[in-house]
Amino acid sequence: MATAKSVDFPADANGGGLAPNPTEARDDIEAAGGGAWASTTASAAQTTAAATTPRPRGQRLASLDVFRGITVVLMIVVDDVGGLVPAISHSPWDGVTLADFVFPFFLFISGVSLTFAYKRVANKELATKNAVIRASKLFLLGLLLQGGFFHSIHDLTYGVDVRKIRLMGVLQRIAIAYLTVALCEIWLRGSASDDIGTNGNGLINRYRHQLFVGLVLTVTYTALLYGMYVPDWEFDVTSTDNTLRHFMVKCGVRGDTGPGCNAVGMIDRRVLGIHHLYTHPVYLKTVQCSINSPENGPLPSGAPTWCEAPFDPEGLLSSLMAIVTCLIGLQIGHVIVHFKRHGDRIVWWSIPSLSLLIVGFLLDLFGLHLNKSLYSLSYTCVTTGTAGLFFAGIYLLVDVYGYKKAVFPMEWVGKHALIVFVLVACNIAPILLHGLYWRDPENNLLKFIGIGG
């Protein structure tokens, strides 16, 4: 078995931005003399030499890049194969599938990365300004890519009516979570003099204000989801022949978590406007809305009117729990900063992650169902707990035992995750390739390589 080794990864390891002074980066190497989890103490001579020798900049946390790369590849696979294998595609409503873990994994990874990016903050105002700028750029990029500006890969057209542009999306939600959690890390953490100790109590005490923010967000989400009254509502749909059809959805309920009468959709319709929501919601694959369920298909006779209504899975209220996912990732990152032994890190990752997993399944068992579109509390617990355990496993294989060559492709994708997401997951690359054709648009590169025409 490969020899285990450990590195105290510095602030710029994977977080980017706000890199610390290189002379502040520590190179805390732990050998495996006493087993995989052991840490040997350097001799006095080695300590003296280290004190007089310039310390190198720390290396990246390879396991985090690998985790990010695996998530990107998983996203591409479920998007491309999910139509052929419904079992791995997004769940039509309640329940989770493989595809439903992708987005929470991204949020979790963002939280871990923020720990490194803001490990040392000399100027809080400047750090806040940089975080706002970065989040704004990411939000605008998401608006461009997922707002409807780019059309089908088979249409050599682009543009969107701003009256109907989709305002929320994957990158927009990540931007909101990133900014909120970055502000928490910049402004809401204990003093560097706080003693963390060797157990989790010191860690909880230092970051108690961040944990309180997560609690407030969770309580707010739960209270609004189950406490808000959802009245009857109406909407109009323009069919392909430009006929305007009017629909009414009968609700008059409180605490409903079905597709048509939940508080998540109501808040989005009132705040964002129904014309700015996602027009192909996943509940179109439910039995009520598709004769081919769990695949998309024609509406069955007597289908509920809400089947033809827009609904945004990245809406406003559900984004509160997305922020909580990112906050949990931030706390997982704090373990890396404050605990240097592999064993301590694995333990303090595994205990909360396993606890979240158990709590999530218990909530689902007692009626708070797993639901990605609503980003339910049980869904948050299960997906975030899974992310923590998965990250611990990758860390053990990659950063402890050094199995890096086998996962190098995933590490490379993880280092270039945004560009891969833009080009592949958002279909920008296929759209560009489709624009290169011979005489007729049907004779394009996509058709030549067998993807389509």
Side-chain angles (χ1 to χ4, degrees), residues 237-247 308:
V237 172
T238 303
S239 59
T240 54
D241 59 356
N242 291 324
T243 301
L244 185 66
R245 295 184 295 162
H246 183 79
F247 296 94
E308 302 197 49

Side-chain angles (χ1 to χ4, degrees), residues 123-349:
N123 187 324
K124 292 184 177 182
E125 289 76 15
L126 179 60
T128 300
K129 177 183 176 182
N130 290 336
V132 171
I133 292 174
R134 289 175 182 168
S136 299
K137 289 179 179 178
L138 191 60
F139 191 96
L140 291 175
L141 179 61
L143 204 60
L144 176 66
L145 294 174
Q146 298 179 304
F149 184 82
F150 293 100
H151 301 172
S152 166
I153 62 174
H154 302 303
D155 296 331
L156 297 181
T157 59
Y158 61 89
V160 61
D161 184 348
V162 294
R163 297 173 301 171
K164 299 179 180 180
I165 189 172
R166 183 189 177 195
L167 296 177
M168 298 296 288
V170 171
L171 293 182
Q172 294 95 309
R173 174 173 277 181
I174 292 178
I176 293 171
Y178 166 88
L179 178 59
T180 305
V181 176
L183 294 178
C184 287
E185 183 67 354
I186 294 169
W187 295 97
L188 300 178
R189 59 180 175 183
S191 171
S193 61
D194 290 346
D195 183 23
I196 298 300
T198 58
N199 57 52
N201 293 332
L203 202 64
I204 293 173
N205 181 61
R206 180 171 184 181
Y207 298 104
R208 61 188 182 278
H209 299 301
Q210 297 178 1
L211 297 175
F212 181 72
V213 170
L215 177 62
V216 170
L217 291 175
T218 301
V219 171
T220 302
Y221 167 84
T222 305
L224 292 177
L225 178 65
Y226 293 101
M228 288 192 71
Y229 176 78
V230 181
D232 300 343
W233 54 284
E234 305 175 40
F235 66 99
D236 297 320
V237 172
T238 303
S239 59
T240 54
D241 59 356
N242 291 324
T243 301
L244 185 66
R245 295 184 295 162
H246 183 79
F247 296 94
M248 172 175 283
V249 181
K250 291 286 187 178
C251 292
V253 295
R254 193 185 307 273
D256 188 88
T257 56
C261 298
N262 60 77
V264 172
M266 183 190 71
I267 291 175
D268 288 339
R269 290 190 297 270
R270 291 189 175 182
V271 178
L272 301 177
I274 195 169
H275 296 298
H276 296 291
L277 305 183
Y278 187 51
T279 56
H280 303 286
V282 70
Y283 59 62
L284 286 174
K285 298 189 296 182
T286 59
V287 175
Q288 298 98 316
C289 301
S290 172
I291 62 175
N292 297 329
S293 180
E295 301 178 29
N296 286 308
L299 290 173
S301 59
T305 53
W306 50 258
C307 285
E308 302 197 49
F311 179 88
D312 210 309
E314 280 82 44
L316 296 175
L317 180 59
S318 54
S319 290
L320 297 184
M321 297 309 295
I323 296 172
V324 172
T325 297
C326 196
L327 265 173
I328 295 174
L330 183 72
Q331 308 314 311
I332 294 294
H334 290 154
V335 172
I336 303 174
V337 173
H338 297 290
F339 294 94
K340 309 309 175 187
R341 291 169 55 93
H342 290 314
D344 292 337
R345 290 173 176 176
I346 296 295
V347 166
W348 292 113
W349 286 337

Side-chain angles (χ1 to χ4, degrees), residues 60-73 390-391 393-416:
R60 290 177 67 93
L61 183 58
S63 53
L64 190 59
D65 285 325
V66 172
F67 189 10
R68 188 185 294 110
I70 291 174
T71 305
V72 171
V73 171
F390 191 32
F391 177 52
I394 297 173
Y395 175 84
L396 181 63
L397 292 175
V398 176
D399 285 309
V400 176
Y401 293 114
Y403 294 117
K404 295 183 178 181
K405 291 184 179 180
V407 294
F408 174 76
M410 296 297 101
E411 184 179 0
W412 184 91
V413 173
K415 290 179 179 179
H416 305 87

